[in-house]
Amino acid sequence: GAGVSQSPSNKVTEKGKDVELRCDPISGHTALYWYRQSLGQGLEFLIYFQGNSAPDKSGLPSDRFSAERTGGSVSTLTIQRTQQEDSAVYLCASSTRVGQPQHFGDGTRLSIL
Amino acid sequence: AQTVTQSQPEMSVQEAETVTLSCTYDTSESDYYLFWYKQPPSRQMILVIRQEAYKQQNATENRFSVNFQKAAKSFSLKISDSQLGDAAMYFCAYRSAGGTSYGKLTFGQGTILTVHP
C-alpha cells in the first residue's frame, strides 16, 4: 500500500511569502505528526494530531506556523511571512494511533530566498 | 524536558564487520520508549528498532540489536555483519509513555555511518 505522501517535494519561495505544505497519511492512520529537520537545529517536533485535534502544539516555533487536519486524513502545515530561518526539510509521519510506530514520508525541502 | 545525545557525529565500518552507535538520554520519567531510525539520502526515516523501558531484555531485529542500560540512561545500537546498504544517518529517539507529549519523538543529533567495501 501507499506510504505517507508529502507535497511538494521541493519548494522555493521568496522571503515574506506564505507557503502550504501537504501531508497525506497512510490510509487508516489516525495519528499524524510534523517535524522539521534543519542543519542548525537538527530534527525538531512541531505538532501532532490525533484525529482532527492537536493535543501537542508545543513545537511550533512561532505564531507564523499553523497546521490543520480535516476529515481525519490530509494535513496542511502553513507558514506565513516566511523567513530565511524557515528553510528546512519538513517531515510528516503517521501511525495507526498515537503511541504506535511512526511511518515517515520523504519530506518537503523548503528553501527561502 | 527530555534530551537525547549522540556523541558520535560520524562513524565508519568495513563491510561484514560490526559497529556500535552510542546514544544517551536524560529523563525523569520511569516509563518511555526508545528508538533507532535510519535516514538514507532519500530522506525517508525508517524505523530500525525500538525498546520499551519497562522491558529488561534488549531488543533485536535481525542484524540490529541494542544495549539498553536504564540506570545509565544509555541506548546503543549494534549493527552486525555490516552491509553497504546500512550506510545512512542514524538517529536515536525518545518518546514518553503517556501525557500530552505521548506522540512526540525527541531526536538526537544523528550519526553518519559510512560502510567501506
Side-chain angles (χ1 to χ4, degrees):
Chain A
V4 176
S5 177
Q6 292 189 246
S7 60
S9 181
N10 293 281
K11 176 73 175 178
V12 181
T13 192
E14 294 179 348
K15 176 182 171 181
K17 300 284 189 183
D18 296 353
V19 295
E20 278 192 359
L21 312 180
R22 175 187 168 108
C23 174
D24 204 337
I26 293 171
S27 178
H29 281 197
T30 63
L32 185 147
Y33 316 79
W34 284 99
Y35 296 86
R36 177 169 74 172
Q37 186 172 22
S38 59
L39 282 177
Q41 302 298 321
L43 253 168
E44 308 170 276
F45 166 81
L46 297 178
I47 186 172
Y48 84 85
F49 291 89
Q50 175 57 52
N52 293 334
S53 65
D56 190 348
K57 308 178 185 180
S58 63
L60 294 177
S62 76
D63 58 9
R64 296 187 296 105
F65 286 72
S66 63
E68 66 175 14
R69 189 181 187 199
T70 55
S73 183
V74 172
S75 175
T76 54
L77 176 69
T78 301
I79 309 173
Q80 296 178 310
R81 305 181 303 281
T82 51
Q83 303 294 313
Q84 287 190 331
E85 62 262 28
D86 300 334
S87 295
V89 174
Y90 289 81
L91 293 168
C92 178
S94 70
S95 62
T96 52
R97 63 180 189 276
V98 177
Q100 293 303 301
Q102 298 180 22
H103 301 267
F104 283 79
D106 290 342
T108 293
R109 181 177 298 279
L110 177 63
S111 301
I112 310 299
L113 301 179
Chain B
Q2 294 79 30
T3 58
V4 178
T5 303
Q6 293 177 251
S7 59
Q8 305 155 318
E10 297 183 32
M11 291 285 284
S12 64
V13 64
Q14 290 292 132
E15 199 175 4
E17 297 294 310
T18 296
V19 64
T20 298
L21 308 184
S22 301
C23 173
T24 58
Y25 58 95
D26 189 25
T27 184
S28 58
E29 299 175 332
S30 59
D31 198 13
Y32 47 87
Y33 296 83
L34 296 165
F35 306 84
W36 280 97
Y37 277 89
K38 167 185 176 182
Q39 186 180 41
S42 66
R43 292 203 307 242
Q44 187 178 45
M45 300 279 283
I46 301 165
L47 178 63
V48 174
I49 198 166
R50 76 170 187 171
Q51 174 81 41
E52 292 96 334
Y54 64 86
K55 289 187 177 179
Q56 292 187 340
Q57 186 173 6
N58 289 324
T60 62
E61 286 288 341
N62 301 313
R63 298 182 295 107
F64 299 87
S65 61
V66 299
N67 184 3
F68 173 48
Q69 301 290 328
K70 190 172 184 180
K73 295 179 182 173
S74 170
F75 182 62
S76 61
L77 174 69
K78 185 171 84 171
I79 306 174
S80 304
D81 185 26
S82 297
Q83 300 176 0
L84 295 177
D86 295 334
M89 175 86 91
Y90 285 81
F91 289 95
C92 179
Y94 172 104
R95 182 173 65 75
S96 298
T100 55
S101 295
Y102 184 38
K104 169 184 174 181
L105 286 172
T106 300
F107 289 92
Q109 304 91 321
T111 297
I112 298 172
L113 178 66
T114 302
V115 181
H116 298 289

